[in-house]
Amino acid sequence: MTPSTERRGLSRRQLMSRGLAATAGMIIGGGFIAASDAAWAYEAAALKPETMATLVRMARDIYPHDRIPDEFYVIAVKGYDAPEAAPEIEAGISALNAAAQGAGHADYLSIGWEDDRVALLRAMENSAFFQKIRGGLVTGLYNQKAVWPIFGYEGESFSKGGYLHRGFDDINWL
Amino acid sequence: MVAKYELDDDSVVLIIGTGSGGGVLANELAQKGVKVVSLEAGGRYLPDDYLNDEWDSFAQLAWLDARTTSGDWRVAKDFAGLPAWIVKAVGGTSIHWAGASLRFQPHEWKARSSYGHVTGANLLDWPIDAAEMEPWYEKAEAKLGVTRTGGRPGLPGNNNYKILEKGALALGYKEVHTGRMAIRSVDSEEQIACQQTGFCFQGCKWGAKWSSAYTDIPAGEATGNLEVRDRCHALKIEHDDKGRVTGVLYADKDGVQHLQKARVVCVAGNSIESPRILLNSASSMFPDGLANSSGQVGRNYLRHVTGSVYGVFEKPVKMWRGTTMAGIVQDEARLDPSRGFVGGYELETLSLGLPFMAAFLDPGGWGRSFTSAMDGYENMAGMWIVGEDMPQETNRVALSATEKDQFGLPAPNVHFDDHPNDVAMRNHAYARGEAIYRAAGATRTFPTPPYPSTHNLGTNRMSEKARDGVVNRHGQSHDVPNLFVSDGSQFTSGAAENPTLTIVALAIRQADFIAGELAKNNL
């Protein structure tokens, strides 16, 4: 069974249910972005696969959390993978790649060091495209309940009776 | 037995807004036998409806009608369409408030006399003082069940408070405690005390924090004298050729417009909407807006000197656990111009959940500087600065020339420039806040810029003389005798304290006045 038939049509729920096991590596090909250990995969629909992959890299470079696997960055930006949003994203990523080429690289994804990629992003941080992606990530990334445990955040507590008997004042190192 | 009044019943007192001003006024009048119609733009949400989820709750409760911003305040850059973080619901922003219930200090009622002339500031003494307000504060504290008043014990301190306390005491601060809070600290027969759930800003699901939504509003309705019409958005206040108000035009949930007649109209829509409806009620008799012969309607917009300090520590704090505003340092609230500014400020713990921390820690920030801070979220403690800002005539709510709301009426523009005194105070407070956290062991601190305003004040200021302000010592319009302002927009100056207790005290006092005047046929 090829990856393309096995993973076609993975829903967000299924993708999320694969848990946090994914590693940071991505494989691109056949329309898919996938974790190197095949824990999850995403098939670009309206965007070119390499555009989606570059967008995910850009998202991580904007809000880099080394303990957050790629799949959550994919989820954070996959709303742009739609016919009405795609042209603006393709244009923005093209501009990003052009900037990378202007700096002597083949494209954005081929730049090895984060600092070198971030320098390109800094140069375009006032652009509408950058601000759209950055602004969207604030909720798209940090409002995913599945990433909250990575930060230690516990979310809803009413159903558990609050923290009165569950450690609201349990600090023991002061 | 909820009251139901006819649209042409011109004997009712009509109140616009049901928050800590309008909601309390409605109940207090209803208890005295006065017939009241309350118009509330938002829907009715009770503790069972509140959501322990920051963005979902924001979508449920926040006032999101069209608004614009201008001025040099950072909110205009970071949140251009959201100058204020306030609530559209029965109960208004009393659903969202944290519960801090502090009286003004005596000198703050007399800001002009206490501070002297401050260049660029439009300071004015209130026409009332601490002695006059004392009994009303007592009633307000009893109504709200404020801890550390009336024999009610303080709340226990959570982790976030313990950090604040340790750092503050290490610096020599003395007035450090878990606050005077409108949050039940002991169980009663019918009602449960605070369960330290967090999410105070999202509405207390235990009902342990006071909100008019589930106290004064149902109590007023139970008298049979109060009719609350929710999802009814007031558009314009009508008047007759004698210059007395006669009723309010409003749109119901389906957008159908109605005119409710009234004997008295009280405006309590918070400090952006209250001046806006007065300005939108301009007529040939009142071309600059209703109650605006002074030209002060919408001016002197106050929002407190705010900002936050977050600190990251070596080990977990879990600041989101428990009461959001869990403690206070009051030593800097004093008047001491040797610090380089007049007025004072309070430091109060604050916590945000991870989603809001991402939005508010450093709006617009990105890259490793930002994300390494977020990576420290579990080890963070947080505090909020609340200080007195200087009233300035040019800080104002005005009608937008271009933007319209969903009813086609001019949207409000909120213009705010920091006064140099505001900047000096904020910088002082940042430094003290960071020092507190360093004294408690912080490895990194963040001076976080102001959030969209929660303390919106001053845009229909109270004044002794008609030329200086919009309303008199009773919140009654200088120009239109049967028109009142009943919310924080009547504040002459902002003081250093969270405003709700004072709004409630003024509403109780105003109810007494209005009922008396009605009985004497003066209204």
Side-chain angles (χ1 to χ4, degrees), chain A residues 62-66 114 122 125 130 142 145 151-152 154 157-158 162-164 166-171 173, chain B residues 52-53 55 157-159 162 166 195-197 199 205 316 320-321 358 365-368 370-371 374-375:
Chain A
I62 293 173
Y63 290 121
H65 291 286
D66 300 339
E114 178 182 307
R122 282 283 168 213
E125 71 175 332
F130 179 90
Y142 296 106
K145 288 185 173 61
F151 293 93
E154 298 168 290
S157 79
F158 173 74
Y163 295 103
L164 184 59
R166 294 192 312 123
F168 80 105
D169 62 349
D170 65 356
I171 200 163
W173 52 264
Chain B
N52 268 200
D53 182 295
W55 284 116
N158 64 2
N159 292 342
K162 289 181 173 181
K166 178 172 182 180
Q195 300 298 297
Q196 301 288 340
T197 297
F199 296 100
K205 289 188 69 65
W320 63 86
R321 291 183 173 185
W366 61 279
R368 293 261 166 200
F370 180 84
T371 56
M374 292 297 295
D375 285 337

Side-chain angles (χ1 to χ4, degrees), chain B residues 107-393:
Chain B
H107 71 266
E108 290 173 328
W109 293 103
K110 304 294 170 187
R112 176 64 179 82
S113 302
S114 302
Y115 306 154
H117 173 71
V118 176
T119 302
N122 191 25
L123 283 167
L124 187 69
D125 290 351
W126 289 64
I128 51 181
D129 61 20
E132 182 166 355
M133 287 303 294
E134 163 80 24
W136 306 106
Y137 269 139
E138 277 184 25
K139 289 178 198 290
E141 287 165 349
K143 177 191 285 285
L144 271 50
V146 178
T147 60
R148 287 197 171 78
T149 73
R152 287 169 286 267
L155 288 158
N158 64 2
N159 292 342
N160 202 19
Y161 170 70
K162 289 181 173 181
I163 298 256
L164 179 82
E165 182 190 65
K166 178 172 182 180
L169 295 180
L171 293 187
Y173 286 129
K174 307 291 187 212
E175 293 178 71
V176 185
H177 55 81
T178 59
R180 287 186 279 283
M181 305 296 295
I183 299 177
R184 265 191 301 283
S185 54
V186 286
D187 292 331
S188 67
E189 295 237 343
E190 297 91 29
Q191 295 166 314
I192 194 167
C194 173
Q195 300 298 297
Q196 301 288 340
T197 297
F199 296 100
C200 299
F201 288 162
Q202 283 69 38
C204 180
K205 289 188 69 65
W206 305 100
K209 176 187 79 182
W210 179 86
S211 168
S212 59
Y214 40 81
T215 58
D216 281 70
I217 293 295
E221 288 174 325
T223 66
N225 295 321
L226 169 62
E227 179 188 355
V228 176
R229 294 182 198 156
D230 61 25
R231 300 186 191 278
C232 287
H233 191 125
L235 305 171
K236 186 171 190 251
I237 302 169
E238 305 273 350
H239 66 81
D240 61 19
D241 57 11
K242 299 186 189 69
R244 294 174 58 88
V245 293
T246 54
V248 173
L249 183 71
Y250 70 92
D252 68 17
K253 64 178 170 27
D254 300 316
V256 179
Q257 296 191 4
H258 309 274
L259 177 64
Q260 173 65 53
K261 301 275 192 190
R263 181 177 177 183
V264 173
V265 172
C266 303
V267 182
N270 209 312
S271 286
I272 298 176
E273 293 307 312
S274 288
R276 175 174 174 246
I277 195 171
L278 296 179
L279 295 171
N280 270 333
S281 300
S283 64
S284 54
M285 183 181 281
F286 300 112
D288 298 323
L290 210 49
N292 197 22
S293 67
S294 65
Q296 294 292 306
V297 169
R299 293 188 182 273
N300 312 301
Y301 171 68
L302 300 166
R303 43 109 49 224
H304 273 146
V305 171
T306 67
S308 304
V309 177
Y310 291 94
V312 174
F313 296 80
E314 292 172 65
K315 293 180 180 173
V317 178
K318 302 180 192 287
M319 66 174 169
W320 63 86
R321 291 183 173 185
T323 318
T324 301
M325 206 161 268
I328 189 167
V329 178
Q330 298 206 270
D331 299 63
E332 299 286 2
R334 72 191 190 279
L335 173 57
D336 174 9
S338 74
R339 292 174 296 179
F341 54 87
V342 297
Y345 62 87
E346 313 273 356
L347 297 173
E348 303 169 344
T349 77
L350 191 81
S351 68
L352 297 176
L354 186 85
F356 274 13
M357 187 59 73
F360 294 125
L361 175 66
D362 180 18
W366 61 279
R368 293 261 166 200
S369 171
F370 180 84
T371 56
S372 63
M374 292 297 295
D375 285 337
Y377 175 75
E378 188 176 12
N379 294 14
M380 261 184 208
M383 73 173 83
W384 194 50
I385 300 157
V386 193
E388 177 163 8
D389 55 342
M390 289 295 105
Q392 301 179 73
E393 277 200 322

